[in-house]
Coordinates of all heavy atoms in Angstrom, one line a residue:
V33 N 80.8 42.0 -4.7 CA 81.8 42.5 -3.7 C 82.7 43.5 -4.4 O 83.0 43.4 -5.6 CB 82.6 41.4 -3.1 CG1 81.7 40.5 -2.2 CG2 83.3 40.5 -4.1
A34 N 83.3 44.4 -3.6 CA 84.2 45.4 -4.1 C 85.6 45.2 -3.5 O 85.7 45.0 -2.3 CB 83.7 46.8 -3.8
F35 N 86.6 45.3 -4.4 CA 88.0 45.2 -3.9 C 88.7 46.4 -4.4 O 88.5 46.9 -5.5 CB 88.7 44.0 -4.5 CG 88.1 42.7 -4.2 CD1 87.3 42.0 -5.1 CD2 88.3 42.1 -3.0 CE1 86.7 40.8 -4.8 CE2 87.7 40.9 -2.7 CZ 86.9 40.2 -3.6
E36 N 89.6 47.0 -3.6 CA 90.4 48.1 -4.0 C 91.3 47.8 -5.2 O 91.9 46.7 -5.3 CB 91.3 48.6 -2.9 CG 92.0 49.9 -3.2 CD 92.8 50.5 -2.0 OE1 92.7 49.9 -0.9 OE2 93.4 51.5 -2.1
V37 N 91.3 48.7 -6.2 CA 92.1 48.4 -7.4 C 93.6 48.6 -7.1 O 94.0 49.6 -6.4 CB 91.6 49.4 -8.6 CG1 92.5 49.3 -9.8 CG2 90.2 49.1 -8.9
Y38 N 94.4 47.8 -7.7 CA 95.8 47.9 -7.6 C 96.3 49.1 -8.4 O 95.9 49.3 -9.5 CB 96.5 46.6 -8.1 CG 98.0 46.8 -8.2 CD1 98.8 46.7 -7.0 CD2 98.6 47.2 -9.4 CE1 100.2 46.9 -7.1 CE2 100.0 47.4 -9.5 CZ 100.8 47.2 -8.3 OH 102.1 47.5 -8.4
S39 N 97.2 49.8 -7.8 CA 98.0 50.9 -8.5 C 99.4 50.9 -8.0 O 99.6 50.4 -6.9 CB 97.3 52.3 -8.3 OG 97.6 52.7 -7.0
P40 N 100.3 51.4 -8.8 CA 101.7 51.4 -8.3 C 101.9 52.2 -7.0 O 102.8 51.9 -6.2 CB 102.5 52.1 -9.5 CG 101.7 51.8 -10.7 CD 100.2 51.8 -10.2
A41 N 101.0 53.2 -6.8 CA 101.1 54.0 -5.6 C 100.6 53.2 -4.4 O 100.9 53.6 -3.2 CB 100.3 55.3 -5.8
A42 N 99.7 52.2 -4.6 CA 99.1 51.5 -3.5 C 99.1 50.0 -3.8 O 98.9 49.6 -4.9 CB 97.7 52.0 -3.3
F43 N 99.5 49.3 -2.8 CA 99.5 47.8 -3.0 C 98.4 47.3 -2.0 O 98.7 46.8 -0.9 CB 100.9 47.2 -2.7 CG 100.9 45.7 -3.0 CD1 101.0 45.3 -4.3 CD2 101.0 44.8 -2.0 CE1 101.0 44.0 -4.6 CE2 101.0 43.5 -2.2 CZ 101.1 43.0 -3.6
P44 N 97.1 47.3 -2.4 CA 96.1 46.9 -1.5 C 96.0 45.4 -1.3 O 96.4 44.6 -2.1 CB 94.8 47.4 -2.2 CG 95.2 47.3 -3.7 CD 96.6 47.7 -3.7
F45 N 95.6 45.0 -0.1 CA 95.4 43.6 0.2 C 94.0 43.3 -0.5 O 93.2 44.2 -0.6 CB 95.3 43.4 1.7 CG 96.6 43.6 2.4 CD1 96.8 44.8 3.2 CD2 97.6 42.7 2.3 CE1 98.0 45.0 3.8 CE2 98.8 42.9 3.0 CZ 99.0 44.0 3.7
R46 N 93.9 42.1 -0.8 CA 92.6 41.6 -1.4 C 91.6 41.4 -0.3 O 91.4 40.4 0.2 CB 92.8 40.4 -2.2 CG 91.6 39.9 -3.0 CD 92.0 38.8 -4.0 NE 90.8 38.1 -4.4 CZ 89.9 38.4 -5.2 NH1 90.0 39.6 -5.8 NH2 88.9 37.7 -5.5
R47 N 90.9 42.5 0.0 CA 89.9 42.5 1.1 C 88.6 43.0 0.6 O 88.5 43.9 -0.3 CB 90.3 43.4 2.2 CG 91.6 43.0 3.0 CD 91.8 43.9 4.1 NE 91.9 45.3 3.7 CZ 92.6 46.2 4.3 NH1 93.2 45.9 5.4 NH2 92.6 47.4 3.9
I48 N 87.5 42.4 1.1 CA 86.2 42.8 0.7 C 85.9 44.2 1.4 O 86.0 44.3 2.6 CB 85.1 41.8 1.2 CG1 85.4 40.5 0.5 CG2 83.7 42.3 0.9 CD1 84.6 39.3 1.1
E49 N 85.6 45.2 0.6 CA 85.4 46.5 1.1 C 83.9 46.9 1.1 O 83.5 47.8 1.7 CB 86.2 47.6 0.3 CG 87.7 47.4 0.5 CD 88.2 47.7 1.9 OE1 87.5 48.3 2.7 OE2 89.3 47.2 2.2
A50 N 83.1 46.2 0.3 CA 81.7 46.4 0.2 C 81.0 45.2 -0.3 O 81.6 44.4 -1.1 CB 81.3 47.6 -0.7
I51 N 79.8 44.9 0.1 CA 79.0 43.8 -0.4 C 77.6 44.3 -0.7 O 77.0 45.1 0.1 CB 78.9 42.7 0.7 CG1 80.2 42.2 1.1 CG2 78.0 41.6 0.2 CD1 80.2 41.3 2.3
G52 N 77.0 43.9 -1.8 CA 75.7 44.2 -2.2 C 75.0 43.2 -3.0 O 75.7 42.4 -3.6
D53 N 73.7 43.3 -3.1 CA 72.9 42.4 -4.0 C 73.1 42.8 -5.5 O 72.9 42.0 -6.4 CB 71.5 42.4 -3.7 CG 71.2 41.7 -2.3 OD1 71.9 40.7 -2.0 OD2 70.3 42.2 -1.6
S54 N 73.5 44.1 -5.7 CA 73.7 44.6 -7.0 C 74.9 45.6 -7.0 O 75.4 45.9 -5.9 CB 72.5 45.4 -7.5 OG 72.3 46.5 -6.7
L55 N 75.4 46.0 -8.2 CA 76.4 46.9 -8.3 C 76.1 48.2 -7.5 O 76.9 48.8 -6.8 CB 76.8 47.2 -9.7 CG 77.9 48.2 -10.0 CD1 79.2 47.7 -9.4 CD2 78.1 48.4 -11.5
D56 N 74.8 48.7 -7.7 CA 74.4 49.9 -7.1 C 74.5 49.8 -5.5 O 74.9 50.7 -4.9 CB 72.9 50.2 -7.5 CG 72.8 50.7 -8.9 OD1 73.8 51.2 -9.5 OD2 71.7 50.6 -9.5
G57 N 74.1 48.7 -5.0 CA 74.1 48.5 -3.6 C 75.6 48.5 -3.1 O 75.8 49.0 -2.0
C58 N 76.5 47.9 -3.9 CA 77.9 47.9 -3.5 C 78.4 49.4 -3.5 O 79.2 49.8 -2.6 CB 78.6 47.1 -4.5 SG 79.9 46.1 -3.8
V59 N 78.1 50.1 -4.5 CA 78.6 51.5 -4.6 C 78.0 52.3 -3.5 O 78.7 53.1 -2.9 CB 78.2 52.1 -6.0 CG1 78.3 53.6 -6.0 CG2 78.9 51.5 -7.1
R60 N 76.7 52.1 -3.1 CA 76.1 52.9 -2.0 C 76.9 52.6 -0.7 O 77.1 53.5 0.1 CB 74.7 52.5 -1.8 CG 73.7 53.4 -2.7 CD 72.3 53.2 -2.2 NE 71.8 51.8 -2.3 CZ 71.4 51.3 -3.5 NH1 71.3 52.0 -4.6 NH2 70.9 50.0 -3.4
M61 N 77.2 51.3 -0.5 CA 77.9 51.0 0.7 C 79.3 51.6 0.8 O 79.7 52.1 1.9 CB 78.1 49.4 0.9 CG 78.8 49.0 2.2 SD 79.0 47.3 2.3 CE 77.5 46.8 3.1
L62 N 80.0 51.7 -0.3 CA 81.3 52.4 -0.4 C 81.1 53.9 0.0 O 81.9 54.4 0.7 CB 82.0 52.2 -1.7 CG 82.5 50.8 -2.0 CD1 82.9 50.7 -3.5 CD2 83.7 50.5 -1.1
Q63 N 80.1 54.5 -0.6 CA 79.9 55.9 -0.4 C 79.5 56.2 1.1 O 80.0 57.1 1.6 CB 78.8 56.4 -1.3 CG 79.2 56.5 -2.8 CD 78.1 56.8 -3.7 OE1 76.9 56.5 -3.5 NE2 78.4 57.4 -4.9
Q64 N 78.7 55.3 1.7 CA 78.4 55.4 3.1 C 79.6 55.3 4.0 O 79.7 55.9 5.0 CB 77.4 54.4 3.5 CG 76.0 54.6 2.9 CD 75.1 53.4 3.1 OE1 75.5 52.4 3.6 NE2 73.8 53.6 2.8
R65 N 80.6 54.6 3.5 CA 81.8 54.4 4.3 C 82.8 55.5 4.0 O 83.9 55.5 4.5 CB 82.4 53.0 4.0 CG 81.6 51.9 4.5 CD 82.2 50.5 4.2 NE 83.4 50.5 5.0 CZ 84.5 49.8 4.6 NH1 84.5 49.1 3.5 NH2 85.6 49.7 5.3
G66 N 82.5 56.5 3.1 CA 83.3 57.6 2.7 C 84.4 57.2 1.7 O 85.5 57.9 1.7
L67 N 84.2 56.1 1.0 CA 85.2 55.7 0.0 C 84.8 56.0 -1.4 O 83.6 56.1 -1.7 CB 85.4 54.2 0.1 CG 85.9 53.7 1.5 CD1 85.8 52.1 1.6 CD2 87.3 54.2 1.8
D68 N 85.7 56.3 -2.3 CA 85.5 56.6 -3.7 C 85.2 55.4 -4.5 O 86.2 54.6 -4.7 CB 86.7 57.4 -4.3 CG 86.5 57.9 -5.7 OD1 85.4 57.6 -6.3 OD2 87.4 58.6 -6.2
P69 N 84.0 55.1 -5.0 CA 83.7 53.9 -5.8 C 84.5 53.7 -7.0 O 84.7 52.6 -7.5 CB 82.2 54.1 -6.1 CG 81.7 55.1 -5.2 CD 82.9 56.0 -4.8
R70 N 85.1 54.8 -7.6 CA 85.9 54.7 -8.8 C 87.3 54.0 -8.5 O 87.9 53.6 -9.5 CB 86.2 56.1 -9.4 CG 84.9 56.8 -9.8 CD 85.2 58.2 -10.2 NE 85.6 58.9 -9.0 CZ 85.9 60.2 -9.0 NH1 85.9 60.9 -10.1 NH2 86.3 60.8 -7.9
K71 N 87.6 53.8 -7.3 CA 88.9 53.2 -6.9 C 88.8 51.7 -6.6 O 89.6 51.1 -6.0 CB 89.6 53.9 -5.8 CG 89.9 55.4 -6.2 CD 90.6 56.1 -5.0 CE 91.0 57.5 -5.5 NZ 91.7 58.2 -4.4
F72 N 87.6 51.1 -7.0 CA 87.4 49.8 -6.7 C 86.9 49.0 -7.9 O 86.4 49.5 -8.8 CB 86.2 49.7 -5.6 CG 86.7 50.2 -4.3 CD1 86.6 51.6 -4.0 CD2 87.2 49.4 -3.3 CE1 87.1 52.1 -2.8 CE2 87.7 49.9 -2.1 CZ 87.6 51.3 -1.9
E73 N 87.2 47.7 -7.8 CA 86.7 46.8 -8.9 C 85.6 45.9 -8.3 O 85.6 45.7 -7.0 CB 87.9 45.9 -9.4 CG 88.5 45.0 -8.4 CD 89.6 44.2 -8.9 OE1 89.3 43.1 -9.5 OE2 90.8 44.6 -8.8
Y74 N 84.7 45.5 -9.1 CA 83.5 44.8 -8.6 C 83.4 43.4 -9.3 O 83.7 43.3 -10.5 CB 82.3 45.6 -8.9 CG 82.4 47.0 -8.4 CD1 82.9 48.1 -9.1 CD2 82.0 47.3 -7.1 CE1 83.1 49.3 -8.6 CE2 82.1 48.6 -6.6 CZ 82.6 49.6 -7.3 OH 82.7 50.9 -6.8
S75 N 83.1 42.5 -8.5 CA 82.9 41.1 -9.1 C 81.9 40.3 -8.3 O 81.8 40.5 -7.0 CB 84.2 40.4 -9.3 OG 84.7 40.1 -8.0
P76 N 81.2 39.4 -8.9 CA 80.3 38.5 -8.1 C 81.1 37.5 -7.3 O 82.2 37.1 -7.8 CB 79.4 37.8 -9.2 CG 80.2 38.0 -10.4 CD 81.1 39.2 -10.3
L77 N 80.7 37.3 -6.1 CA 81.4 36.3 -5.3 C 80.8 34.9 -5.6 O 79.6 34.7 -5.5 CB 81.2 36.6 -3.8 CG 82.0 35.8 -2.8 CD1 83.5 36.1 -3.1 CD2 81.7 36.2 -1.4

Side-chain angles (χ1 to χ4, degrees):
V33 294
F35 301 103
E36 188 175 354
V37 173
Y38 170 81
S39 73
F43 187 72
F45 294 104
R46 186 169 158 76
R47 294 185 306 207
I48 298 171
E49 296 294 342
I51 301 172
D53 291 323
S54 66
L55 181 61
D56 289 337
C58 220
V59 167
R60 272 194 302 278
M61 181 179 274
L62 288 170
Q63 290 172 332
Q64 289 171 349
R65 295 182 62 211
L67 300 170
D68 183 355
R70 296 173 294 179
K71 295 182 178 180
F72 292 84
E73 60 181 275
Y74 305 89
S75 67
L77 190 63

